[in-house]
């Protein structure tokens, strides 16, 4: 009963919305419903013959009309394409799961090709029994499924000095969100035997690629929610995401998600590798550096409208959407501002926030062609509120690259186009 009433109410609201939309369409000069539309009145090619048979595409790619929903690079960032980065087309995606085929890639020495048969994972160092696992061995341990976001610590890093890149793909696209299947790292460590004294113990993880991308992880995290994963979104990891096995380090910077993982050494302290000393640290205004900045703080971005997603319809209903995430846990609330942060409206979360995973938000609103300074602000279960750029600069100075989680502003103009701007 109450469900029916709710449905009725929202249907009426929707109908009111479509009247407004139709009026907007007329104002924008589109065809009215009574004009003859050949797409309705004529028999179309696709209805006059047969479509493709089921034997034509053993493994499907997106239809050609979606060929602009692809990874892109930023040329001046990409001196070479081997030690490089590209960006997820987050502006064009909806929901929360990132298809592997367009999920950003970051590698320091290229994506390697490693067969399952050639795969070995060694656990050594301060363990009772050093072990080597084959791929088939890993598949015999109890496994789990979890959805997590993976964000490069450098995501939004180019925006520290000022508004630079024109598109959510480029400012915020070093992120993906997938369902991983894998064995908890704690299960494999227990198999090797950790003994009783865990104080000051760490693990050092490295990949099978030439860069090895070695990182130290404190034992508390290693025993918490880290996964040794071999599937993403139900299928094998793609080569570029670490086939056949990668580490998943929920909520922590992407650099620690070691791909093609080949060795896990239990150590009595951090290794202080290149990736955690000369890189992935930030120099503050007073010249000191931040180190061990593992967790990705709460962050959000409006993905549409945005520079790559201008408003192309007339006045009337407008769906503002974006995504929010936090390395500290669940997103509890997202606010949207249309006036550069002076006033805020609470957005609708498509689903309840999930632990260390992307949350989709919508603001179902109307637009009459007014200019907007569009922003979103995420809050997580710890009570943390996503900071403004000014607040972040105050604490972190302007020499940082990593961990820029500030509020993003898009200037939406009367013609529906949007631009990356900074508000003070
Ligand atoms: N072995 C190895 N693991 C690696 C890297 C690498 O170059 N080699 N790059 C790291 C970085 S910096 C990031 S942000 C993530 C990116 O994961 P993705 O390429 O699946 O998006 O992988 C991490 N794991
Ligand atoms: Mo990264």
């Amino acid at each position: 009963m109450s469900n029916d009433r709710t449905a009725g109410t929202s249907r009426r609201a929707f109908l009111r919305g479509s009247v407004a939309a139709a009026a907007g369409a007329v104002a924008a000069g589109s065809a009215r419903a009574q004009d003859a539309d050949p797409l309705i009145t004529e028999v179309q090619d696709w209805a006059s013959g047969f479509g493709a048979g089921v034997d034509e595409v053993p493994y499907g790619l997106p239809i050609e009309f979606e060929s602009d929903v692809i990874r892109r690079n930023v040329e001046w960032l990409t001196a070479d394409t081997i030690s490089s980065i590209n960006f997820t087309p987050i502006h064009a995606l909806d929901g929360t799961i990132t298809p592997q085929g367009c999920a950003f890639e970051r590698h320091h020495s290229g994506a390697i090709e490693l067969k399952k048969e050639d795969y070995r994972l060694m656990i050594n160092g301060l363990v009772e029994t050093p072990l080597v696992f084959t791929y088939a061995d890993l598949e015999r341990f109890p496994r789990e499924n979890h959805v997590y976001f993976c964000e490069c610590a450098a995501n939004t890093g180019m925006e520290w000095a000022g508004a630079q890149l024109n598109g959510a793909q480029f400012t915020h696209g070093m992120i993906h969100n997938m369902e991983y299947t894998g064995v908890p790292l704690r299960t494999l460590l227990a198999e090797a035997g950790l003994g009783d004294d865990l104080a000051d113990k760490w693990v050092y993880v490295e990949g099978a690629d030439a860069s090895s991308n070695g990182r130290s992880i404190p034992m508390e995290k290693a025993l918490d929610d880290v996964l040794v994963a071999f599937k993403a979104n139900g299928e094998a990891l793609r080569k570029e995401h670490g086939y056949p096995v990668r580490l998943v380090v929920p909520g922590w910077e992407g650099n620690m998600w070691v791909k093609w993982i080949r060795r896990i050494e239990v150590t009595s302290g951090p290794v202080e590798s290149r990736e955690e000393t000369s890189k992935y640290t930030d120099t503050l205004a007073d010249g000191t550096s931040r180190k061990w900045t593992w967790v990705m703080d709460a962050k959000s971005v409006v993905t549409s409208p945005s520079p790559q997603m201008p408003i192309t319809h007339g006045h009337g209903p407008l769906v503002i959407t974006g995504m929010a995430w936090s390395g500290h846990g669940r997103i509890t609330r997202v606010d949207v501002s249309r006036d550069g942060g002076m006033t805020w409206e609470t957005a609708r979360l498509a689903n309840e926030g999930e632990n260390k995973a992307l949350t989709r938000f919508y603001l179902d609103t109307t637009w009459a062609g007014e200019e907007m300074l569009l922003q979103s602000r995420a809050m997580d279960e710890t009570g943390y509120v996503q900071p403004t750029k000014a607040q972040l600069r105050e604490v972190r100075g302007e020499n940082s690259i990593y961990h820029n989680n500030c509020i993003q502003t898009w200037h939406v103009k009367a013609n529906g186009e949007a631009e990356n701007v900074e508000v003070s």
Side-chain angles (χ1 to χ4, degrees):
M1 277 294 278
S2 67
N3 268 347
D4 289 341
R5 259 203 299 279
T6 316
T9 312
S10 61
R11 191 161 49 239
R12 273 196 299 281
F14 176 74
L15 286 175
R16 274 201 304 278
S18 10
V19 171
V26 172
S30 313
R32 283 169 297 146
Q34 60 260 47
D35 290 343
D37 180 350
L39 282 168
I40 295 171
T41 57
E42 307 294 319
V43 175
Q44 302 298 318
D45 286 350
W46 54 82
S48 333
F50 295 116
V54 292
D55 55 345
E56 283 186 26
V57 186
Y59 193 100
L61 286 174
I63 195 165
E64 60 188 296
F65 315 124
E66 296 294 316
S67 60
D68 60 335
V69 184
I70 49 171
R71 298 166 175 146
R72 290 187 175 82
N73 338 324
V74 171
E75 228 157 89
W76 56 263
L77 257 183
T78 315
D80 71 272
T81 54
I82 301 296
S83 172
S84 201
I85 180 97
N86 57 29
F87 300 84
T88 309
I90 54 168
H91 62 289
L93 302 177
D94 211 319
T96 53
I97 296 294
T98 316
Q100 287 200 72
C102 67
F104 89 94
E105 305 164 60
R106 166 74 176 118
H107 12 83
H108 294 75
S109 53
I112 58 167
E113 227 153 77
L114 178 52
K115 287 195 196 108
K116 281 180 186 167
E117 305 86 85
D118 297 339
Y119 180 76
R120 299 290 183 273
L121 173 62
M122 178 188 289
I123 297 190
N124 69 337
L126 305 174
V127 291
E128 287 160 1
T129 320
L131 294 173
V132 173
F133 303 94
T134 63
Y135 184 87
D137 292 337
L138 293 179
E139 283 189 310
R140 296 175 65 190
F141 288 93
R143 51 186 183 255
E144 297 181 2
N145 295 296
H146 298 278
V147 177
Y148 294 122
F149 75 83
C150 170
E151 182 184 19
C152 178
N155 199 20
T156 323
M158 290 79 73
E159 302 294 309
W160 273 106
Q164 276 215 77
L165 296 169
N166 238 350
Q169 176 166 23
F170 307 113
T171 55
H172 290 76
M174 292 184 197
I175 188 163
H176 49 63
N177 191 64
M178 305 190 198
E179 185 198 42
Y180 293 97
T181 303
V183 179
L185 176 55
R186 86 178 86 80
T187 306
L188 301 179
L189 290 172
E191 192 76 7
L194 286 175
D196 297 328
D197 183 16
L198 294 181
D200 302 322
K201 293 271 172 65
W202 291 55
V203 294
Y204 180 68
V205 290
E206 69 182 16
D209 54 330
S211 83
S212 88
N213 192 73
R215 288 289 310 242
S216 310
I217 302 176
M219 188 57 80
E220 197 188 354
K221 179 69 173 175
L223 296 178
D224 180 16
D225 53 5
V226 176
L227 280 181
V228 175
F230 36 82
K231 294 273 162 84
N233 301 339
E235 63 180 358
L237 288 162
R238 297 283 165 88
K239 172 175 88 174
E240 58 271 33
H241 301 302
Y243 180 93
V245 184
R246 90 172 303 166
L247 206 62
V248 167
V249 190
W252 288 26
E253 51 190 29
N255 185 251
M256 307 177 87
W257 294 48
V258 172
K259 303 191 274 191
W260 315 289
I261 185 160
R262 75 164 167 212
R263 198 168 69 92
I264 298 168
E265 182 181 341
V266 176
T267 59
S268 57
V271 164
E272 313 257 0
S273 72
R274 172 187 179 275
E275 296 290 320
E276 49 205 23
T277 50
S278 86
K279 300 281 176 251
Y280 299 94
T281 52
D282 281 311
T283 307
L284 301 175
D286 67 0
T288 60
S289 284
R290 296 170 84 226
K291 191 164 91 158
W292 307 140
T293 50
W294 299 307
V295 182
M296 303 308 294
D297 287 319
K299 185 165 168 180
S300 68
V301 64
V302 171
T303 51
S304 178
S306 66
Q308 296 159 289
M309 296 294 277
I311 304 172
T312 54
H313 57 67
H315 303 164
L318 170 69
V319 174
I320 297 172
T321 187
M323 51 201 223
W325 61 96
S326 169
H328 288 283
R330 292 164 217 280
I331 289 295
T332 49
R333 187 172 126 193
V334 180
D335 293 339
V336 171
S337 175
R338 291 186 272 186
D339 54 15
M342 291 195 299
T343 61
W344 295 92
E345 294 160 271
T346 298
R348 171 171 66 89
L349 303 186
N351 292 97
E352 210 175 302
E354 283 180 57
N355 184 32
K356 300 164 191 163
L358 285 193
T359 297
R360 170 67 49 182
F361 66 84
Y362 297 103
L363 188 72
D364 309 296
T365 185
T366 56
W367 182 64
E370 68 276 16
E371 297 208 1
M372 297 187 282
L373 289 170
L374 210 49
Q375 301 184 331
S376 63
R377 172 175 80 179
M379 282 156 241
D380 71 19
E381 61 179 312
T382 67
Y384 178 92
V385 182
Q386 185 182 357
T388 64
K389 207 170 204 175
Q391 288 169 333
L392 205 57
R393 280 190 185 135
E394 220 166 275
V395 183
R396 307 262 296 278
E398 294 192 27
N399 299 322
S400 286
I401 297 171
Y402 305 108
H403 294 274
N404 181 350
N405 67 322
C406 75
I407 290 171
Q408 170 68 39
T409 313
W410 306 125
H411 174 201
V412 181
K413 298 167 203 163
N415 65 4
E417 283 170 11
E419 200 186 336
N420 182 6
V421 296
E422 221 174 73
V423 292
S424 49

